Amino acid sequence: WQRLTEGMRRTSSSLSDSVTGLFTKRRLDDATLEELEDALVQADLGVPTAMRITEAISAGRYNKEISPQEVKAILAGEVEKTLQPVAQPLTIDRAKKPYVILMVGVNGAGKTTTIGKLSQKFRQQGLTVMLAAGDTFRAAAIEQLKVWGERVGAPVLSREQGADAAGLAYDALQEAKANGTDVLLIDTAGRLQNKAGLMAELEKIVRVVKKFDPSAPHATLLVLDATVGQNAMSQVELFQKAAGVTGLVMTKLDGTARGGILVALAAKFGVPVHFIGVGEGVEDLEPFTARDFARAIAG
Ligand code: GDP
């Protein structure tokens, strides 16, 4: 959480400076409330959430003086309330062998890195892990996944560049089943420049996986890069439609001023948030908790 608090400093400090500037020796009048709402929207929390928080702050205090500390405490409380329902751990059902996790997200979001970090966590829990290099579009993605597999002790099933990703996923399922593997993580392509192709490919992978096991994929995790801010909203919509997202991992929360986007996502979609990425290293993946995040954001 040290990393998160430090990383979130860029989100919280701009917000905190606005709050301190606004509420030092000032009454809670319409102009102040409007400026506060603007600051919250600027911090990527989204208009509905910004309005709700502003209302909570003004309730019973209108035309009175309020300290920046009070404002921050209410802000943290409201953010926590918004995040609480979505802060859900990812639980692996050990009865499913393999427990199939489909990883989706646009190129560069941190999908491969997150697969490596998750594999490490599962291995530390004593689970066996297998990886399927389903981003067959990019040779570099296949190579990168192999490097992660070696690092964390997880075999990687791959085919040559351009191979059919759904076919590869099916082979991986068969192999994981035959080997009694606990968790199978399937990487996928994330070419946003070819949306129709991307969606068709994801739909096909899901179809093929279901043919093998109708209860799979048991989790479909969307990896989102926090630094893209509001763009994350349309990514959730796109991937929900193509693959049926069951949970989110938000990466690059270290060193971005746009961490507030997680609050906007929670308010709009209510999709569970399992983990947050706070660095490039294998251990830089933290379970998501509403309270710590809310405190980090309010500064
Ligand atoms: P992919 O294209 O979605 O598979 O993305 P990659 O896993 O290759 O990640 C893209 C870049 O983001 C790499 O340089 C990663 O090291 C970096 N990255 C991934 N997660 C994080 C994170 O949580 N924090 C930071 N600072 N960098 C990250």
Side-chain angles (χ1 to χ4, degrees), residues 106-113 117 138 144 252 254 277-280:
V106 306
N107 286 344
K111 217 172 340 123
T112 313
T113 309
K117 292 172 176 175
R138 294 184 302 162
Q144 206 192 337
K252 308 186 198 178
D254 49 314
V278 292
E280 296 185 277

Side-chain angles (χ1 to χ4, degrees), residues 15 20-21 26 45 49 57-58 87 89-91 102 121 155 159 170 177 209 214 230 232 269 280 286:
L15 198 54
T20 309
R26 264 184 69 180
L45 273 73
T49 306
I57 289 170
S58 75
L90 176 70
T91 36
L102 190 65
K121 282 207 187 309
R159 296 270 179 275
Y170 195 85
K177 181 129 202 151
V209 167
Q230 293 299 317
F269 299 105
E280 296 185 277
E286 301 279 349

Side-chain angles (χ1 to χ4, degrees), residues 6-167:
E6 271 166 27
M8 293 287 288
R9 204 154 280 154
R10 284 177 61 190
T11 301
S12 66
S13 67
S14 53
L15 198 54
S16 179
D17 289 351
S18 313
V19 168
T20 309
L22 271 171
F23 292 100
T24 304
K25 296 262 166 241
R26 264 184 69 180
R27 280 182 189 286
L28 205 54
D29 57 14
D30 287 338
T32 328
L33 286 169
E34 203 165 304
E35 281 179 64
L36 172 67
E37 197 177 306
D38 285 349
L40 296 172
V41 172
Q42 281 296 315
D44 281 304
L45 273 73
V47 175
T49 306
M51 283 172 70
R52 219 199 54 242
I53 293 174
T54 310
E55 274 162 26
I57 289 170
S58 75
R61 298 178 194 86
Y62 192 74
N63 252 337
K64 296 195 179 115
E65 246 182 52
I66 184 168
S67 71
Q69 287 69 28
E70 281 173 86
V71 174
K72 286 180 194 175
I74 302 166
L75 171 63
E78 289 298 317
V79 168
E80 187 181 340
K81 231 191 279 173
T82 308
L83 295 176
Q84 200 65 63
V86 301
Q88 293 173 29
L90 176 70
T91 36
I92 305 295
D93 181 354
R94 291 187 185 223
K96 312 271 186 211
K97 263 181 188 271
Y99 186 87
V100 182
I101 305 178
L102 190 65
M103 300 293 294
V104 300
V106 306
N107 286 344
K111 217 172 340 123
T112 313
T113 309
T114 302
I115 290 174
K117 292 172 176 175
L118 281 174
S119 303
Q120 169 90 342
K121 282 207 187 309
F122 298 148
R123 298 286 295 124
Q124 285 166 347
Q125 291 165 22
L127 298 165
T128 53
V129 178
M130 186 176 153
L131 309 178
D135 184 356
T136 53
F137 198 73
R138 294 184 302 162
I142 301 171
E143 285 316 307
Q144 206 192 337
L145 199 70
K146 285 186 189 164
V147 171
W148 274 109
E150 201 137 297
R151 195 179 294 168
V152 300
V156 181
L157 188 75
S158 65
R159 296 270 179 275
E160 72 285 4
Q161 189 182 356
D164 176 41

